[in-house]
Amino acid sequence: MKRKLHLWDLPEKQIYLKLDPIFSNLFFEKAYSKFNSWRVLGEHIGVKRADTTIPHWRSGKTCYPLVIVWKIARLCNISKYDIETHVVEIKCKTYLAKRGGNSGRSIYYPRLPVIIDESFFALIGHISGDGCIPTRRDKGIK
């Protein structure tokens, strides 16, 4: 069994990412050219304070929500495969509150799509087992 886990298979409201600087600049410029205003673009895609937020994202200082990336991609006819190949940082926010949420560490330069096969499940087993499979009966799950 081999299956691929693509960027669009992830929960879009919890995933935040950065695109590589050159592609990010082209991506946001293409969106800007549709409206000639960051504020109007923000109103269209549901971003408050877009005149400061979107240029901040474009500069690569922070990660931006995947849900917004998909809205811009649909608006500008940008392929989801193009976006997937230009991701340089990705993270998941687990607790979403009014002003963001908690997030773990970022994954830099992820290899997408993730191939799901036997070795993937072995890796997940090791990670969830704290990297250890005990051989003694008095340790681990009984």
Side-chain angles (χ1 to χ4, degrees):
M1 172 194 112
K2 275 196 178 180
R3 184 171 179 267
K4 293 181 180 181
L5 182 68
H6 289 276
L7 186 62
W8 51 88
D9 295 324
L10 301 175
E12 64 183 26
K13 290 184 180 179
Q14 291 178 288
I15 299 298
Y16 285 66
L17 57 82
K18 273 190 214 176
L19 300 170
D20 75 61
I22 294 169
F23 186 79
S24 179
N25 196 33
L26 294 171
F27 179 77
F28 286 111
E29 283 302 317
K30 194 169 186 178
Y32 179 85
S33 69
K34 292 272 188 187
F35 300 97
N36 292 321
S37 164
W38 293 120
R39 186 185 57 75
V40 178
L41 171 62
E43 288 172 4
H44 192 74
I45 61 174
V47 174
K48 295 179 182 177
R49 298 186 334 265
D51 53 332
T52 57
T53 303
I54 298 174
H56 196 67
W57 290 340
R58 188 178 130 216
S59 71
K61 293 179 182 174
T62 60
C63 291
Y64 25 97
L66 181 58
V67 66
I68 298 299
V69 172
W70 292 143
K71 286 180 182 181
I72 293 172
R74 282 190 293 276
L75 181 70
C76 298
N77 296 320
I78 298 172
S79 163
K80 58 187 178 181
Y81 291 98
D82 284 342
I83 292 168
E84 185 175 61
T85 58
H86 289 93
V87 173
V88 295
E89 182 179 345
I90 189 168
K91 65 173 146 181
C92 180
K93 292 199 175 191
T94 55
Y95 169 72
L96 298 176
K98 185 176 180 182
R99 295 191 180 264
N102 299 332
S103 63
R105 294 183 181 229
S106 296
I107 298 172
Y108 296 95
Y109 304 101
R111 289 187 216 146
L112 296 168
V114 176
I115 307 296
I116 299 176
D117 59 6
E118 295 80 16
S119 61
F120 173 80
F121 289 114
L123 176 65
I124 295 300
H126 282 288
I127 291 170
S128 62
D130 198 21
C132 174
I133 299 176
T135 55
R136 294 181 14 203
R137 300 276 300 149
D138 62 334
K139 299 254 183 192
I141 300 172
K142 294 179 173 107

